[in-house]
Structure formats: structure tokens, C-alpha cells
Amino acid sequence: SVSMSTGYGNVLESAVGILQNESMNIPDRNALRHFLSEPAVMPTKRARQKHAQETVNDQLTHFNDDIIEKTSQVMRQAGTDLEAAFVFGGGSVPLLKETDLRPRLVNKLKGFAGGYDIPVIWIDPKYAQELNMMGLTTYLKYFAKKYIEKHRQQVKAGE
């Protein structure tokens, strides 16, 4: 398991900065989300929305490259025991719907599994927080057990 220090919000922030440098009046990422989701009747607004979406997509490409690189780092450390990859949080839904991240991850993981497919599973946002908590709890129990065992051995060795 690995987390990244940047997420979809950072992608939107980068896009906002670029759009502001181009004199588009979008103050923050929430305004950008709203702007992209509101209906556009006039051709000028449709063109501005299209440009804003293209700017976001350009930033998503860089973010996806970072995800693929991080995946390579993790796989070099983990070996070949991976049976599935789970993706959630950090704007994973737009990454699935609006980019080529899924096929890129599948291909990257295949390269670490002798050409065999490793399932890449996108977790629905309504389950992501609970699954994250379950994962953190599992890690906590594992490391607590290791710590207790090590402490017992140290106490025993000191007797």
C-alpha cells in the first residue's frame, strides 16, 4: 500500500493557476468544478469550458504519469505477490472516467507479473473511507503485535 502526497485537488489547483495566467476568472478549484459542470448555452462559454477541461486533462496526464511511476517503485519493492490493485480517493472516479489511467495501470502491472493480468479495481467513493479505515486498522494491529513481540523478547533477554 502506498499513498501519494498529491491528488485530484492538486491537479485542479494547477489547472486553476494556468487558467488564471491566461486571464480566465476562475478563483479556485471549487469554482473550476462548478464552471465545468454548469450547462453552457452560448458558444463562447462552451469554448471556454472546453479549454478549461483540456487544461485539466493536460494536468491529469502529468498526474497519471506520477501514479504510473509510483506504481513501478512499489512493484520493484513488493516483488510478484500482488494479486489485485485497488484504486480509491484522490479523485479516482474522474481519473477512471476521463483518462487512460486504468489501461496504463493494467499494462504496468502486467509487466511485473510475467505478462499475466492483475485486476485493477476502482472502489466506489461511498465505500472508500470505510475500506481505508479497515486497512489502517489492519496495519495498526499488525505493527502493534510486532512491537509487543519485540518488547517481550527484549525484556526476556534482559532477565
Side-chain angles (χ1 to χ4, degrees), residues 62-95:
H62 299 299
F63 184 53
N64 285 352
D65 292 344
D66 292 344
I67 292 171
I68 296 298
E69 178 56 34
K70 185 68 84 170
T71 300
S72 293
Q73 291 172 8
V74 169
M75 290 305 297
R76 282 191 292 273
Q77 294 171 0
T80 60
D81 293 340
L82 184 70
E83 293 185 31
F86 297 90
V87 181
F88 58 93
S92 61
V93 172
L95 292 174

Side-chain angles (χ1 to χ4, degrees), residues 13-71:
E13 290 290 341
S14 294
V16 165
I18 292 166
L19 294 168
Q20 287 175 344
N21 288 338
E22 296 173 347
S23 299
M24 287 188 70
N25 188 21
I26 299 176
D28 57 37
R29 67 186 185 191
N30 290 329
L32 177 58
R33 280 187 183 134
H34 179 72
F35 177 70
L36 291 173
S37 66
E38 61 188 9
V41 177
M42 301 300 290
T44 305
K45 184 166 186 173
R46 281 197 302 269
R48 289 175 45 233
Q49 281 180 322
K50 180 181 179 200
H51 175 68
Q53 186 62 59
E54 288 170 351
T55 303
V56 170
N57 290 347
D58 288 344
Q59 297 308 302
L60 282 172
T61 298
H62 299 299
F63 184 53
N64 285 352
D65 292 344
D66 292 344
I67 292 171
I68 296 298
E69 178 56 34
K70 185 68 84 170
T71 300

Side-chain angles (χ1 to χ4, degrees), residues 99-113:
T99 73
D100 65 344
L101 180 59
R102 188 177 194 292
R104 289 182 66 193
L105 276 175
V106 168
N107 287 333
K108 178 57 69 177
L109 294 173
K110 189 183 283 192
F112 286 95

Side-chain angles (χ1 to χ4, degrees), residues 135-151:
L136 292 172
T137 301
T138 300
Y139 275 120
L140 178 63
K141 288 178 182 178
Y142 172 80
F143 287 116
K145 182 180 175 185
K146 290 289 186 186
Y147 174 80
I148 291 169
E149 289 172 4
K150 182 178 179 182
H151 183 71

Side-chain angles (χ1 to χ4, degrees), residues 109-122:
L109 294 173
K110 189 183 283 192
F112 286 95
Y116 292 94
D117 285 334
I118 293 175
V120 176
I121 301 162
W122 248 256

